[in-house]
Amino acid sequence: MGSTTPAIRGGADRRQSTGRRGAVVAALMLSMALAALDSAVVSTAVPQIVGDLGGFSVFSWLFSGYLLAVTVTLPVYGKLSDTFGRKPVLVAGAAVFLLGSLLCAAAWNMGALIAFRILQGLGGGALQGTVQTLAADLYPLAQRPRIQSKLSTVWAVSAVAGPGLGGVLAAYADWRWIFLINLPIGIAALWLIVRHLHEPQRETARPARVDWAGALAVFACGGVLLTALVQGGVAWPWLSAPSLTLLGAGLALAGVVVAVERRAAEPVIPGWVWRRRTIAAVNLALGALGLLMVAPAVFLPTYAQSVLGLAPVAAGFVLSVWTLSWPVSAALSQHVYRRLGFRDTALLGIGLAALILCAFPFLPYPGSWWQPTLLMLLLGGALGLFQLPLIVGVQSTVGWSERGTTTASVLFCRQTGQTLGASLFGAVANGVLAARLGGAGDLDSVTRALDAGTVPEADRRAIADAVHAVYLGAAGAAALAFVVLLLVAPRRFPVLQE
């Protein structure tokens, strides 16, 4: 495949690398915790932030700006890590993230805070992509589920503990501490990386060349299109001038990206990412995963509070149980894919996920808390069986010099799927609510009424119908992933010999 794998010279170097691996894994887990905790911690402190800085009309950009910056930089960082090595990219990304955190803590108004959140996201893209790539570098294929399950556990713990930590800091300290808390974690991760991560020397036939024009084009195109998806139907109607202008500009920039990348000697997004069946299938399947994840993550808490009548903490528990079964299933998936193969294991997982999502609309109204909780527990188990075999499998089909680009493309597609899902399912939910309530409101207005404790019975039934429709849409996304894997992915991934 035209890739090279770095060789560690001599037994002494191998023993030294093995002795340092535990410290590097700890650094990766700390780095992942920075990215995983961020949005979960910030979300619970929004009332305090808005109360101090103002800017209620634009506070959603605290999350949208960060997400945009992370997503559009993933392909760039993936290519840079293949060109210059993982360590300099990870160190630079962590440093930018910590600088952004420090500036966020010093923000004097909402505009400054949003700008510094975008700076955080520019570093967060390096953290997410490079950590996943290094995880594959450190371990041979047989041991990769071990590190991937550890990283999944970091995400699970962050999802459960993040909102509580953010609430405590905002209530008993100051909202600025939700950003300052990143500094000791990040500094510890940086120290471990600088001290213990030593990448072997690689022999290169030609000097490294960076496709800066392609990187700029990818950044501009992704930023414009994702802004259109994030803000469409929220800040302005889908068929309004701003939406159509952004979508048109994004499509034009996509043409620029294709033209620039075809001429580049070392393109940021090389054509082989989509020409190889395995990588293309995994990209599309994990894009569908990002799409379907929006249904529970965004809409289930509102359902739990308005339809089931649960308190916010209990509603959060209903959602969080899938973060408990997901890493457990991911850790155990190796026993399945060693027998069935990567593709068939993922097919089993996404097939089960589709059935579970289809079962949600058949829950009784209003029902009991344990029913959606059980479904979420099962869904986490099914998705763990789906996602990890695909990531481990696709990383194992490429050598060192292509692994960063491959991993970044997979993560980019998943992030883009989540952005598309938030817009698509938001439109579905609002459409159902408008039909049930005679055009009297959307999900945001109903949620505000819920906060005031004044949701009438008709609205509760409308919310249940809207969330049921969203879950059916998520089941459709799962079915799409199933079909893509069945028709596009090879039954046996072309794993490279290590």
Side-chain angles (χ1 to χ4, degrees):
M1 292 192 183
S3 59
T4 58
T5 303
I8 300 177
R9 299 185 302 273
D13 282 345
R14 279 194 296 271
R15 287 190 297 272
Q16 186 182 49
S17 176
T18 301
R20 288 174 171 153
R21 190 166 64 178
V24 175
V25 169
L28 297 185
M29 294 178 70
L30 288 172
S31 300
M32 187 62 78
L34 284 175
L37 274 170
D38 189 75
S39 293
V41 172
V42 173
S43 62
T44 54
V46 165
Q48 288 78 13
I49 294 173
V50 172
D52 188 15
L53 300 181
F56 177 79
S57 61
V58 295
F59 84 86
S60 63
W61 273 97
L62 292 177
F63 307 98
S64 300
Y66 179 84
L67 175 65
L68 289 173
V70 168
T71 304
V72 299
T73 55
L74 276 168
V76 178
Y77 285 127
K79 183 62 180 180
L80 289 176
S81 74
D82 283 343
T83 303
F84 297 107
R86 324 299 189 209
K87 182 175 180 177
V89 173
L90 186 55
V91 169
V96 170
F97 185 92
L98 293 180
L99 175 61
S101 298
L102 184 61
L103 292 173
C104 283
W108 53 90
N109 59 36
M110 185 61 75
L113 183 57
I114 290 171
F116 298 146
R117 282 283 288 166
I118 293 173
L119 179 63
Q120 258 193 319
L122 296 178
L127 294 178
Q128 290 195 28
T130 313
V131 165
Q132 291 282 2
T133 305
L134 266 169
D137 290 344
L138 287 171
Y139 287 87
L141 174 58
Q143 298 178 17
R144 279 177 196 154
R146 181 188 308 173
I147 179 63
Q148 289 290 351
S149 64
K150 289 179 180 179
L151 296 177
S152 297
T153 301
V154 170
W155 277 101
V157 172
S158 300
V160 174
L165 176 61
V168 169
L169 290 174
Y172 297 102
D174 185 272
W175 65 264
R176 298 179 190 275
W177 280 99
I178 67 177
F179 299 107
L180 292 175
I181 197 67
N182 291 333
L183 298 182
I185 299 173
I187 290 171
L190 272 175
W191 183 81
L192 289 171
I193 291 165
V194 171
R195 182 175 176 83
H196 295 287
L197 178 57
H198 299 288
E199 295 183 281
Q201 293 292 325
R202 294 181 297 122
E203 295 181 3
T204 56
R206 57 185 181 273
R209 299 165 66 180
V210 180
D211 176 24
W212 293 115
L216 180 61
V218 169
F219 190 89
C221 176
V224 170
L225 285 176
L226 290 174
T227 299
L229 291 175
V230 168
Q231 295 297 100
V234 179
W236 46 71
W238 278 109
L239 297 180
S240 65
S243 267
L244 296 177
T245 300
L246 284 173
L247 289 172
L251 292 177
L253 286 169
V256 172
V257 169
V258 172
V260 170
E261 295 298 78
R262 280 183 173 178
R263 298 179 180 180
E266 297 288 343
V268 171
I269 303 180
W272 55 259
V273 168
W274 293 103
R275 286 195 298 268
R276 296 180 192 173
R277 289 176 57 198
T278 305
I279 302 175
V282 172
N283 282 343
L284 293 173
L286 289 187
L289 171 65
L291 191 69
L292 73 87
M293 285 174 61
V294 171
V298 175
F299 297 94
L300 185 59
T302 299
Y303 176 91
Q305 292 182 66
S306 61
V307 177
L308 303 181
L310 300 180
V313 174
F317 171 77
V318 172
L319 174 63
S320 67
V321 293
W322 77 333
T323 65
L324 304 178
S325 56
W326 192 320
V328 174
S329 173
L332 297 175
S333 66
Q334 60 179 311
H335 303 293
V336 183
Y337 68 65
R338 285 174 180 167
R339 290 177 176 270
L340 301 182
F342 294 116
R343 190 200 72 165
D344 290 350
T345 302
L347 284 172
L348 175 63
I350 200 63
L352 291 173
L355 294 176
I356 294 164
L357 290 165
C358 283
F360 193 91
F362 293 98
L363 294 179
Y365 178 88
S368 180
W369 66 271
W370 66 266
Q371 294 162 339
T373 302
L374 177 61
L375 288 183
M376 290 304 298
L377 193 68
L378 295 174
L379 181 62
L383 294 180
L385 201 61
F386 166 71
Q387 178 180 255
L388 187 133
L390 291 183
I391 292 178
V392 172
V394 77
Q395 287 180 327
S396 302
T397 66
V398 295
W400 189 97
S401 63
E402 295 177 342
R403 191 171 291 142
T405 300
T406 300
T407 304
S409 73
V410 167
L411 297 178
F412 174 80
C413 289
R414 189 181 67 185
Q415 293 278 98
T416 302
Q418 287 182 265
T419 305
L420 178 61
S423 299
L424 177 62
F425 291 145
V428 169
N430 288 336
V432 172
L433 282 173
R436 297 292 185 272
L437 301 176
D442 57 17
L443 191 62
D444 288 337
S445 63
V446 174
T447 302
R448 288 193 293 272
L450 173 65
D451 292 337
T454 58
V455 180
E457 180 64 18
D459 286 5
R460 293 179 186 274
R461 288 189 174 274
I463 291 173
D465 290 342
V467 176
H468 290 167
V470 166
Y471 267 77
L472 286 177
L480 176 63
F482 186 96
V483 171
V484 165
L485 289 177
L486 188 64
L487 298 182
V488 179
R491 183 172 184 184
R492 296 293 176 185
F493 283 17
V495 174
L496 294 183
Q497 295 297 319
E498 297 178 327

